[in-house]
Amino acid sequence: MGRGRQKAKHTKIARELKSYSPSVNYAALERELGHHEGGEDYVDKWADQYDDEDEDEEQGQYSAV
């Protein structure tokens, strides 16, 4: 018996999502995605916190032999 109420709720949410248009800061998005006009090199700010996966795999292969 609750199917009508559930369908109405989904319809309401779908209409809200359809008309939703968030404001987007395209300049900040472009900077974050890495569009460089000045020729800057990419620097991974998280690289120091994690080990490289390739090094772990190579060590595992040679130690098993």
Side-chain angles (χ1 to χ4, degrees):
M1 284 218 339
R3 177 71 180 124
R5 186 177 301 162
Q6 183 180 10
K7 184 177 179 186
K9 185 176 181 180
H10 286 292
T11 303
K12 178 184 173 185
I13 292 172
R15 285 185 186 140
E16 290 174 358
L17 289 174
K18 186 176 180 181
S19 63
Y20 177 69
S21 60
S23 61
V24 177
N25 185 348
Y26 290 107
L29 181 62
E30 187 175 354
R31 280 193 308 270
E32 186 173 337
L33 291 177
H35 180 75
H36 299 289
E37 293 181 8
E40 299 174 10
D41 291 332
Y42 174 73
V43 176
D44 189 0
K45 61 184 178 181
W46 305 106
D48 296 336
Q49 295 183 359
Y50 301 100
D51 295 332
D52 290 338
E53 293 178 5
D54 295 337
E55 292 175 3
D56 294 340
E57 291 176 4
E58 289 174 4
Q59 292 173 359
Q61 292 174 353
Y62 295 120
S63 63
V65 174

